Amino acid sequence: MTQQQIYQSYLQAVSSSSPLPPEKLLAFPSVNIDIFEDDSRVVNRLYYVLPNSYNATSDLFIFFEENSFLKDASGDLSLSSSTFHLLHP
């Protein structure tokens, strides 16, 4: 999915009268975790958790960005791909 597709899904899911603007959707990842690493690459996920509304019984809108990096001999990383995914309960 693209960032725009994630935002469209967020707008469909949100029941708040004032959803976040697109530029704030990726402002604060909740979890940043490496899910795989070896000598040549690293796969990292940034999870985002947003309330669907601002009341006590709100659901959550959860998605993640998966980033794959290539690792050189010095251990320096270069981004090779980045994709977005909805997390369904």
Side-chain angles (χ1 to χ4, degrees):
M1 296 185 91
T2 66
Q3 183 176 343
Q4 182 62 30
Q5 289 170 318
I6 287 290
Y7 189 70
Q8 290 303 316
S9 295
Y10 166 71
L11 290 177
Q12 289 175 356
V14 71
S15 59
S16 171
S17 59
S18 56
L20 291 173
E23 63 274 6
K24 297 216 178 207
L25 191 68
L26 302 175
F28 301 103
S30 298
V31 178
N32 179 354
I33 187 169
D34 291 340
I35 61 166
F36 176 81
E37 183 171 0
D38 66 11
D39 292 339
S40 62
R41 69 185 189 115
V42 174
V43 179
N44 172 270
R45 284 187 182 168
L46 299 171
Y47 286 88
Y48 298 85
V49 179
L50 305 168
N52 278 356
S53 64
Y54 295 98
N55 60 43
T57 61
S58 69
D59 292 323
L60 298 174
F61 182 78
I62 304 171
F63 67 98
F64 66 92
E65 178 181 5
E66 185 168 289
N67 299 302
S68 295
F69 298 90
L70 297 177
K71 191 188 305 184
D72 67 15
S74 303
D76 292 330
L77 303 175
S78 60
L79 183 66
S80 61
S81 69
S82 181
T83 57
F84 291 94
H85 307 269
L86 289 176
L87 190 66
H88 298 285

